Amino acid sequence: MSRILHNRVRSSFKNTSWVSIDKRAVAFSIWTGRSMLLYKPIDTSHVQRRCYGMLVARAIRGVLKIRYLVLGGAVGGGMTLNKKYAEWKDGLPDMGWLNDLLPDNEQWDRFTTTLITAKDKIGDQLQIDPRLREAGVARATELREWLAQRYEDAVAAAAVNNQQRLVYCSEPAPKIVNNLQSRPASPPPARSADDAAHYEKRVHALQEEVLALQARYQRELQRLEQENRELRQQNMLLKQGRQPSTKKMKRSLIDMYSSVLDELAGWEADGADRLPRVVVVGDQSAGKTSVLEMIAQARIFPRGAGEMCTRAPVKVTLSEGPYHVAQFRDSSREFDLNKESDLADLRKEVELRMRNSVRGGRTVSSDVISMSVKGPGLHRMVLVDLPGVISTQTVDMAADTREAIKQMTRQYMDNPNAIILCIQDGSVDAERSNVTDLVSSCDPQGKRTIFVLTKVDLAEENLANPNRIRRILEGKLFPMKALGYYAVVTGRSRRDDSIQGIREYEERFFSSSKLFKNGLVTPSQVTTRNLSLAVAECFWRMVRATVEQQADAFKAMRFNLETEWKNTFPRQRELDRDELFERARAELLDQAAELSAVPAQRWEHALRDALWDHAAPTVMDRIYLPAAAAAHHDQEPSLRQIHLKAEPAPPGPPGPPGIDFNKFNTLVDIKLREWAERELPGTSVQAGREALRAEFSRLTEPAEPEPLFRGLREHAVREALLRHDWEERAQDVLRVLQLNALQDRCVSARAHWDRAVALLEAALGDRLGAARDRLRDLTGPGWRERWLSWTSPTEEQRRRALLAAELEQLGTARPQLTYDEVVAVRDNLRRQGVEVDNDYIRETWKPLYLRKFLEQALTRARDCRKSFYLYSQQNGAGKECCEVVLFWRIQQTLETTANALRQQIGNREAARLDRELREVLDEMAADADLKKQLLSGRRVELAEELKRVRKVQEKLEEFIEALNKEK
């Protein structure tokens, strides 16, 4: 069977190609197991081996393909990562400027070697002064012994008191005597159980006070030891003959906090300023300023007899120091508060600053006056003295004074972290108080209010019921609540009393007062000394509780502002208003400096154009046209009356045609000289100033101006140009040059002749166009305009057109019409149904005659263009083209003037204008309100807020770090 199949296959392969035969033979052999060519079975084992080999090859090829994919992916990913890294690296800011600031490795090596050498020398040669060592050791030993003794005494006293409490537990507690009045000690009476508990609490409080005192003196001891070490180091340096390095004095904690408040002063952002401070509020003349002076221990504020003294908020920073001095934040002068002369100067300065802050007819101002007071024994705090609240405003006050004071007071008290020091006058009826309701509305729970009753000595004398004072100090009379209630005496109504005298008077009063004797008040509620201590403790407690929270708020505010900047103004620097102003200032000065590099040809071209614009009306109306009309008709006033619209001269016979050249030249010489002596120098200076301003404005206006700087540039350039004035002596020099140039009547070159003819034709063409426009306005549009523009004349224009047609028939060779001609024209118009009078006819005749005259003059000018050869052959004696000679003289004079003005600009005026611009920019730099007005927009405001927030945040972090160290 296989053989038969094999034969059939062979027969079918006869007509097939060798390629197809080969494929079919291989397939047949594999299927049958025999060779089609050999007619015998074939071995298929190699075919199976081949199949296995193919499978293995395919597996190896797949593995290799996976390797290529993995390797290709790794290479591609590496290239992508490298590209991303390059893009990220390119996006980083350029920090190459650090290489200029930081020293290189060689300098670091030299510096390190020098330090090691100095250390070896100092260690070998320096010796500590034994006197300083003995003094420091002795002082430290004394302090340690004293503190140890005090601590042992306190512990022993506590043990004794505990034993006594156990023995005398049934006896009542002794009454606390006034610490301002010494009394003999008496044996302790019997105490009750409640009194014993109170006594135990008192003992524990004393023990805590002793421990706090010990910790305080321990810190003081450490500070003294540090100072001792610094003194020893300075002594070593002095022994070696070297001066100690002057280090920047470390600022105190309260000064750091005060600088933060100064940065926040005047910030209009909502909720930005929430930092604690002591706000001193009260009615007018309630004693606010006196209380503050007692706390500051100096008479630092001006006083007035029955008038408002505090017109602006005064921020006073109190701190402890070795000397009693005061200083304003923006001034370097220190006022010695122990000298009466410095105190007087300080009060005058405060009054002057208050009056300067009140502008625009206002009575009070919100501008803060910042000052610091340092002295021994002063408690560290920041107080803000506000204008007193008034109930009635006088006629010399602004209309909104009362509301402005209330709004200002409420704004400061609305700060949830502000401590309100409410001052109430104890010598007046409590019902007259205006400030208590205001305070209770801002702090209804009284969690940050301290109530102070002043003038208690007067209140004790005037009040028949002292119980009223007790109710006030217990918080039962006023509806407001407070943390504490204090009674003080701040003087005896004498302006020359010293602080020490007032303090002694206050202590004597309270020691002998009925308030103490009757037990109405406790000793801790009286005297400004106790008040100052309580306010300082409350202030620092509030600061420690809220300052970190405020720092976090500023950090969040900074993040929000930076995010807004990146989204709104990408790829732009965060420049505040001052930096933007300096940038615009530098660009403006650089552009103004290019004024000296303007080419001379440009200057002369601009000056010639400006000079001709100023001189053209005078040349045409007062020199050329009157002289030509007078020489043409022997009637000089006629054409001047035409241009000045004066009454016409009496009619006369018309003059002969043509021009009297001798008369024309004579009149021209006279008018030119008058013009050159009187008006031309001043006109030339005005033209030079305008050319200079135009070029200066062009240079200071960039090709692509930034809209933010447009207002600033315009203001600076305008102010500089208004201040700039040409030198007066320049007119005398110009007058001489112009008179000499007008004397030359000989045109020496064809180019000069052509330029003079071109100037004459241009002047006549401009004036002729104006005359035609004037006539067109009188007679209405022509037929071409009527058809093309669909316009029609008015009734008045139709009358003028009919009259102009009648006058054209008379000819226009004379400036004046005779009486008979006027009557004839009027009769002709009457026959046409148009009534006109004589003046109407003469008024219409003037523009007709002027147009005809200018047309004739323009024709003569065109004819003179080719007459230079004839003029040169006559050596300037020919008079046919005297009009061209006139304009050549004028042109020559203007060119000479332009050259002189160019030299004046290059030598003097450009530098003076640049100096004026610098002065204007300096004044603008000092005017913050003007800069705020000229540089405005969200970009500037956002950059300003960012700068302020960063500065406040940095200062707050510095303050918090110092505060934590002090803890």
Side-chain angles (χ1 to χ4, degrees), residues 161-208:
N161 290 331
N162 288 332
Q163 293 179 1
Q164 292 180 356
R165 182 175 59 81
L166 295 175
V167 175
Y168 301 104
C169 59
S170 60
E171 299 178 358
K175 184 178 180 180
I176 300 176
V177 298
N178 185 9
N179 57 356
L180 299 177
Q181 183 179 6
S182 60
R183 296 182 180 179
S186 57
R191 300 183 178 91
S192 62
D194 295 338
D195 292 340
H198 176 72
Y199 183 76
E200 184 178 359
K201 292 181 181 179
R202 179 66 176 171
V203 169
H204 286 297
L206 289 175
Q207 291 177 353
E208 293 177 358

Short mmCIF file of all heavy atoms in Angstrom, two decimals, residues 161-208:
data_model
loop_
_atom_site.label_atom_id
_atom_site.label_comp_id
_atom_site.label_asym_id
_atom_site.label_seq_id
_atom_site.Cartn_x
_atom_site.Cartn_y
_atom_site.Cartn_z
N ASN A 161 7.00 76.06 112.54
CA ASN A 161 5.61 76.44 112.33
C ASN A 161 4.69 75.22 112.30
O ASN A 161 3.55 75.27 112.77
CB ASN A 161 5.49 77.22 111.02
CG ASN A 161 6.13 78.59 111.12
OD1 ASN A 161 6.17 79.16 112.21
ND2 ASN A 161 6.63 79.12 110.01
N ASN A 162 5.19 74.11 111.75
CA ASN A 162 4.37 72.91 111.76
C ASN A 162 4.12 72.41 113.18
O ASN A 162 3.02 71.98 113.53
CB ASN A 162 5.06 71.81 110.93
CG ASN A 162 5.00 72.12 109.45
OD1 ASN A 162 4.07 72.80 109.01
ND2 ASN A 162 5.97 71.64 108.69
N GLN A 163 5.16 72.47 113.99
CA GLN A 163 4.99 72.07 115.38
C GLN A 163 4.02 72.99 116.11
O GLN A 163 3.16 72.55 116.88
CB GLN A 163 6.34 72.05 116.09
CG GLN A 163 7.29 70.98 115.57
CD GLN A 163 8.63 71.00 116.25
OE1 GLN A 163 8.84 71.83 117.14
NE2 GLN A 163 9.54 70.10 115.84
N GLN A 164 4.19 74.29 115.90
CA GLN A 164 3.28 75.25 116.54
C GLN A 164 1.84 75.04 116.06
O GLN A 164 0.90 75.20 116.82
CB GLN A 164 3.73 76.67 116.23
CG GLN A 164 5.05 77.04 116.91
CD GLN A 164 5.47 78.46 116.59
OE1 GLN A 164 4.81 79.11 115.81
NE2 GLN A 164 6.55 78.91 117.21
N ARG A 165 1.69 74.67 114.76
CA ARG A 165 0.34 74.45 114.26
C ARG A 165 -0.31 73.25 114.96
O ARG A 165 -1.50 73.25 115.26
CB ARG A 165 0.39 74.19 112.75
CG ARG A 165 -0.96 73.99 112.11
CD ARG A 165 -0.82 73.85 110.62
NE ARG A 165 0.03 72.74 110.28
CZ ARG A 165 -0.38 71.46 110.24
NH1 ARG A 165 -1.61 71.17 110.54
NH2 ARG A 165 0.45 70.50 109.92
N LEU A 166 0.52 72.22 115.28
CA LEU A 166 -0.03 71.08 115.97
C LEU A 166 -0.39 71.42 117.42
O LEU A 166 -1.35 70.90 117.99
CB LEU A 166 0.98 69.93 115.95
CG LEU A 166 1.28 69.34 114.56
CD1 LEU A 166 2.38 68.29 114.64
CD2 LEU A 166 0.03 68.75 113.94
N VAL A 167 0.40 72.32 118.02
CA VAL A 167 0.15 72.68 119.42
C VAL A 167 -1.01 73.66 119.52
O VAL A 167 -1.91 73.52 120.35
CB VAL A 167 1.42 73.24 120.05
CG1 VAL A 167 1.13 73.73 121.47
CG2 VAL A 167 2.51 72.19 120.06
N TYR A 168 -0.97 74.66 118.62
CA TYR A 168 -1.97 75.74 118.72
C TYR A 168 -3.00 75.63 117.60
O TYR A 168 -3.37 76.61 116.97
CB TYR A 168 -1.27 77.10 118.63
CG TYR A 168 -0.25 77.32 119.69
CD1 TYR A 168 1.11 77.23 119.40
CD2 TYR A 168 -0.65 77.65 120.99
CE1 TYR A 168 2.05 77.43 120.38
CE2 TYR A 168 0.31 77.85 121.98
CZ TYR A 168 1.65 77.75 121.68
OH TYR A 168 2.59 77.97 122.62
N CYS A 169 -3.42 74.40 117.28
CA CYS A 169 -4.38 74.24 116.17
C CYS A 169 -5.73 74.84 116.50
O CYS A 169 -6.50 75.18 115.62
CB CYS A 169 -4.53 72.76 115.80
SG CYS A 169 -5.10 71.74 117.17
N SER A 170 -6.04 74.94 117.78
CA SER A 170 -7.34 75.50 118.15
C SER A 170 -7.32 77.00 118.27
O SER A 170 -8.34 77.61 118.52
CB SER A 170 -7.80 74.88 119.49
OG SER A 170 -6.85 75.18 120.51
N GLU A 171 -6.15 77.65 118.12
CA GLU A 171 -6.04 79.10 118.27
C GLU A 171 -6.21 79.77 116.91
O GLU A 171 -5.81 79.23 115.88
CB GLU A 171 -4.67 79.45 118.85
CG GLU A 171 -4.42 78.85 120.23
CD GLU A 171 -3.03 79.19 120.72
OE1 GLU A 171 -2.31 79.83 119.96
OE2 GLU A 171 -2.69 78.79 121.84
N PRO A 172 -6.83 80.98 116.85
CA PRO A 172 -7.00 81.69 115.56
C PRO A 172 -5.66 82.18 115.03
O PRO A 172 -4.71 82.41 115.77
CB PRO A 172 -7.92 82.86 115.92
CG PRO A 172 -7.67 83.08 117.38
CD PRO A 172 -7.39 81.74 117.98
N ALA A 173 -5.61 82.38 113.65
CA ALA A 173 -4.38 82.85 112.99
C ALA A 173 -4.17 84.32 113.27
O ALA A 173 -5.11 85.08 113.45
CB ALA A 173 -4.49 82.64 111.48
N PRO A 174 -2.91 84.73 113.37
CA PRO A 174 -2.64 86.15 113.62
C PRO A 174 -2.99 87.00 112.41
O PRO A 174 -2.89 86.58 111.27
CB PRO A 174 -1.12 86.18 113.88
CG PRO A 174 -0.60 85.01 113.11
CD PRO A 174 -1.66 83.96 113.20
N LYS A 175 -3.40 88.22 112.67
CA LYS A 175 -3.75 89.16 111.62
C LYS A 175 -2.50 89.69 110.95
O LYS A 175 -1.55 90.05 111.61
CB LYS A 175 -4.56 90.33 112.21
CG LYS A 175 -5.05 91.30 111.15
CD LYS A 175 -5.88 92.41 111.78
CE LYS A 175 -6.37 93.37 110.72
NZ LYS A 175 -7.17 94.44 111.30
N ILE A 176 -2.53 89.70 109.58
CA ILE A 176 -1.37 90.18 108.81
C ILE A 176 -1.31 91.69 108.91
O ILE A 176 -2.26 92.40 108.58
CB ILE A 176 -1.47 89.74 107.35
CG1 ILE A 176 -1.51 88.21 107.27
CG2 ILE A 176 -0.31 90.28 106.54
CD1 ILE A 176 -1.70 87.68 105.87
N VAL A 177 -0.21 92.18 109.41
CA VAL A 177 -0.06 93.62 109.59
C VAL A 177 0.39 94.23 108.29
O VAL A 177 0.91 93.58 107.38
CB VAL A 177 0.95 93.92 110.72
CG1 VAL A 177 0.44 93.35 112.02
CG2 VAL A 177 2.31 93.34 110.38
N ASN A 178 0.22 95.53 108.17
CA ASN A 178 0.65 96.29 106.99
C ASN A 178 2.16 96.30 106.91
O ASN A 178 2.84 96.67 107.86
CB ASN A 178 0.10 97.72 107.10
CG ASN A 178 0.42 98.52 105.85
OD1 ASN A 178 0.88 97.96 104.87
ND2 ASN A 178 0.15 99.81 105.93
N ASN A 179 2.69 95.88 105.76
CA ASN A 179 4.14 95.85 105.62
C ASN A 179 4.73 97.23 105.40
O ASN A 179 5.93 97.38 105.38
CB ASN A 179 4.53 94.94 104.45
CG ASN A 179 3.87 95.39 103.17
OD1 ASN A 179 3.08 96.33 103.17
ND2 ASN A 179 4.17 94.70 102.08
N LEU A 180 3.88 98.23 105.22
CA LEU A 180 4.40 99.58 105.07
C LEU A 180 4.54 100.29 106.41
O LEU A 180 5.04 101.41 106.48
CB LEU A 180 3.45 100.40 104.17
CG LEU A 180 3.28 99.85 102.73
CD1 LEU A 180 2.27 100.70 101.98
CD2 LEU A 180 4.62 99.85 102.03
N GLN A 181 4.04 99.67 107.49
CA GLN A 181 4.10 100.31 108.81
C GLN A 181 4.61 99.28 109.81
O GLN A 181 4.04 98.21 109.99
CB GLN A 181 2.69 100.80 109.22
CG GLN A 181 2.68 101.54 110.54
CD GLN A 181 1.28 102.00 110.87
OE1 GLN A 181 0.36 101.67 110.17
NE2 GLN A 181 1.14 102.76 111.94
N SER A 182 5.69 99.57 110.43
CA SER A 182 6.31 98.63 111.38
C SER A 182 5.53 98.65 112.70
O SER A 182 5.21 99.71 113.24
CB SER A 182 7.77 99.03 111.62
OG SER A 182 7.85 100.32 112.14
N ARG A 183 5.27 97.43 113.24
CA ARG A 183 4.55 97.31 114.51
C ARG A 183 5.27 96.28 115.37
O ARG A 183 5.90 95.35 114.87
CB ARG A 183 3.11 96.85 114.27
CG ARG A 183 2.27 97.86 113.48
CD ARG A 183 0.84 97.39 113.30
NE ARG A 183 0.06 98.34 112.56
CZ ARG A 183 -1.22 98.15 112.25
NH1 ARG A 183 -1.83 97.04 112.63
NH2 ARG A 183 -1.89 99.07 111.57
N PRO A 184 5.17 96.42 116.67
CA PRO A 184 5.84 95.43 117.54
C PRO A 184 5.18 94.08 117.45
O PRO A 184 3.97 93.97 117.27
CB PRO A 184 5.70 96.05 118.94
CG PRO A 184 4.51 96.94 118.83
CD PRO A 184 4.52 97.49 117.43
N ALA A 185 6.01 93.04 117.57
CA ALA A 185 5.49 91.67 117.49
C ALA A 185 4.71 91.33 118.76
O ALA A 185 5.06 91.74 119.85
CB ALA A 185 6.64 90.68 117.31
N SER A 186 3.66 90.56 118.63
CA SER A 186 2.80 90.16 119.75
C SER A 186 2.69 88.65 119.74
O SER A 186 2.84 88.00 118.69
CB SER A 186 1.41 90.80 119.63
OG SER A 186 0.83 90.44 118.39
N PRO A 187 2.43 88.01 120.89
CA PRO A 187 2.31 86.55 120.92
C PRO A 187 1.15 86.08 120.07
O PRO A 187 0.13 86.75 119.98
CB PRO A 187 2.09 86.26 122.41
CG PRO A 187 1.56 87.52 122.96
CD PRO A 187 2.22 88.61 122.21
N PRO A 188 1.32 84.93 119.42
CA PRO A 188 0.25 84.45 118.53
C PRO A 188 -0.99 84.06 119.30
O PRO A 188 -0.90 83.32 120.29
CB PRO A 188 0.90 83.24 117.86
CG PRO A 188 1.95 82.79 118.81
CD PRO A 188 2.43 84.01 119.49
N PRO A 189 -2.13 84.57 118.89
CA PRO A 189 -3.38 84.17 119.55
C PRO A 189 -3.81 82.79 119.10
O PRO A 189 -3.19 82.16 118.24
CB PRO A 189 -4.37 85.25 119.08
CG PRO A 189 -3.84 85.68 117.74
CD PRO A 189 -2.35 85.57 117.84
N ALA A 190 -4.87 82.31 119.69
CA ALA A 190 -5.40 80.98 119.36
C ALA A 190 -5.97 80.99 117.95
O ALA A 190 -6.53 81.98 117.48
CB ALA A 190 -6.48 80.58 120.37
N ARG A 191 -5.82 79.85 117.24
CA ARG A 191 -6.26 79.74 115.86
C ARG A 191 -7.42 78.74 115.77
O ARG A 191 -7.48 77.77 116.51
CB ARG A 191 -5.12 79.25 114.96
CG ARG A 191 -3.89 80.14 114.93
CD ARG A 191 -2.90 79.56 113.94
NE ARG A 191 -1.72 80.39 113.83
CZ ARG A 191 -0.64 80.24 114.58
NH1 ARG A 191 -0.63 79.30 115.51
NH2 ARG A 191 0.41 81.02 114.40
N SER A 192 -8.27 78.97 114.77
CA SER A 192 -9.33 78.01 114.46
C SER A 192 -8.82 77.03 113.40
O SER A 192 -7.70 77.15 112.90
CB SER A 192 -10.57 78.75 113.95
OG SER A 192 -10.25 79.44 112.74
N ALA A 193 -9.67 76.06 113.06
CA ALA A 193 -9.26 75.05 112.06
C ALA A 193 -9.06 75.68 110.69
O ALA A 193 -8.10 75.37 109.98
CB ALA A 193 -10.32 73.94 112.02
N ASP A 194 -9.97 76.60 110.29
CA ASP A 194 -9.82 77.26 108.98
C ASP A 194 -8.57 78.10 108.94
O ASP A 194 -7.84 78.14 107.94
CB ASP A 194 -11.05 78.10 108.68
CG ASP A 194 -12.30 77.24 108.53
OD1 ASP A 194 -12.15 76.03 108.24
OD2 ASP A 194 -13.41 77.79 108.69
N ASP A 195 -8.33 78.81 110.08
CA ASP A 195 -7.12 79.63 110.12
C ASP A 195 -5.86 78.77 110.06
O ASP A 195 -4.84 79.17 109.47
CB ASP A 195 -7.12 80.49 111.39
CG ASP A 195 -8.23 81.53 111.35
OD1 ASP A 195 -8.70 81.82 110.23
OD2 ASP A 195 -8.63 82.02 112.42
N ALA A 196 -5.91 77.62 110.67
CA ALA A 196 -4.75 76.73 110.61
C ALA A 196 -4.48 76.26 109.19
O ALA A 196 -3.32 76.21 108.73
CB ALA A 196 -4.98 75.52 111.52
N ALA A 197 -5.56 75.94 108.44
CA ALA A 197 -5.37 75.53 107.04
C ALA A 197 -4.80 76.68 106.21
O ALA A 197 -3.91 76.49 105.37
CB ALA A 197 -6.70 75.04 106.46
N HIS A 198 -5.35 77.89 106.49
CA HIS A 198 -4.84 79.05 105.76
C HIS A 198 -3.38 79.28 106.11
O HIS A 198 -2.57 79.64 105.23
CB HIS A 198 -5.70 80.27 106.12
CG HIS A 198 -5.19 81.53 105.48
ND1 HIS A 198 -5.32 81.78 104.13
CD2 HIS A 198 -4.55 82.61 106.03
CE1 HIS A 198 -4.78 82.96 103.86
NE2 HIS A 198 -4.30 83.48 104.99
N TYR A 199 -3.04 79.07 107.37
CA TYR A 199 -1.66 79.27 107.80
C TYR A 199 -0.74 78.26 107.13
O TYR A 199 0.38 78.59 106.72
CB TYR A 199 -1.59 79.14 109.33
CG TYR A 199 -0.22 79.42 109.90
CD1 TYR A 199 0.26 80.72 110.00
CD2 TYR A 199 0.59 78.37 110.33
CE1 TYR A 199 1.52 80.96 110.51
CE2 TYR A 199 1.84 78.61 110.84
CZ TYR A 199 2.31 79.92 110.93
OH TYR A 199 3.56 80.17 111.43
N GLU A 200 -1.20 77.05 106.97
CA GLU A 200 -0.38 76.03 106.33
C GLU A 200 -0.14 76.38 104.85
O GLU A 200 0.98 76.24 104.34
CB GLU A 200 -1.08 74.67 106.44
CG GLU A 200 -0.24 73.52 105.87
CD GLU A 200 -0.94 72.19 106.05
OE1 GLU A 200 -2.05 72.19 106.63
OE2 GLU A 200 -0.36 71.18 105.61
N LYS A 201 -1.17 76.86 104.19
CA LYS A 201 -1.00 77.28 102.80
C LYS A 201 -0.01 78.42 102.69
O LYS A 201 0.81 78.50 101.78
CB LYS A 201 -2.35 77.69 102.21
CG LYS A 201 -3.32 76.54 102.03
CD LYS A 201 -4.63 77.03 101.42
CE LYS A 201 -5.62 75.90 101.25
NZ LYS A 201 -6.90 76.38 100.67
N ARG A 202 -0.07 79.30 103.69
CA ARG A 202 0.84 80.45 103.68
C ARG A 202 2.29 79.98 103.84
O ARG A 202 3.19 80.50 103.18
CB ARG A 202 0.45 81.39 104.82
CG ARG A 202 1.31 82.62 104.96
CD ARG A 202 1.16 83.53 103.78
NE ARG A 202 1.92 84.75 103.94
CZ ARG A 202 2.11 85.66 103.00
NH1 ARG A 202 1.59 85.46 101.80
NH2 ARG A 202 2.80 86.76 103.26
N VAL A 203 2.48 78.98 104.69
CA VAL A 203 3.84 78.46 104.89
C VAL A 203 4.36 77.81 103.61
O VAL A 203 5.51 78.01 103.21
CB VAL A 203 3.85 77.47 106.07
CG1 VAL A 203 5.18 76.72 106.12
CG2 VAL A 203 3.61 78.20 107.37
N HIS A 204 3.50 77.04 102.96
CA HIS A 204 3.92 76.40 101.71
C HIS A 204 4.24 77.46 100.65
O HIS A 204 5.19 77.31 99.87
CB HIS A 204 2.83 75.46 101.20
CG HIS A 204 2.73 74.18 101.99
ND1 HIS A 204 3.76 73.26 102.05
CD2 HIS A 204 1.74 73.67 102.76
CE1 HIS A 204 3.41 72.24 102.81
NE2 HIS A 204 2.17 72.46 103.26
N ALA A 205 3.45 78.52 100.60
CA ALA A 205 3.71 79.59 99.64
C ALA A 205 5.06 80.24 99.92
O ALA A 205 5.82 80.56 98.99
CB ALA A 205 2.59 80.62 99.68
N LEU A 206 5.36 80.44 101.23
CA LEU A 206 6.66 81.02 101.57
C LEU A 206 7.80 80.09 101.18
O LEU A 206 8.86 80.53 100.72
CB LEU A 206 6.70 81.33 103.07
CG LEU A 206 5.84 82.50 103.54
CD1 LEU A 206 5.87 82.61 105.06
CD2 LEU A 206 6.32 83.80 102.91
N GLN A 207 7.60 78.80 101.38
CA GLN A 207 8.65 77.86 100.99
C GLN A 207 8.88 77.88 99.47
O GLN A 207 10.02 77.89 99.01
CB GLN A 207 8.25 76.44 101.44
CG GLN A 207 8.27 76.23 102.94
CD GLN A 207 7.80 74.85 103.33
OE1 GLN A 207 7.34 74.09 102.48
NE2 GLN A 207 7.91 74.54 104.62
N GLU A 208 7.79 77.92 98.70
CA GLU A 208 7.94 78.00 97.24
C GLU A 208 8.62 79.30 96.83
O GLU A 208 9.44 79.34 95.91
CB GLU A 208 6.57 77.88 96.57
CG GLU A 208 5.94 76.50 96.73
CD GLU A 208 4.56 76.45 96.12
OE1 GLU A 208 4.10 77.50 95.61
OE2 GLU A 208 3.93 75.37 96.13
#
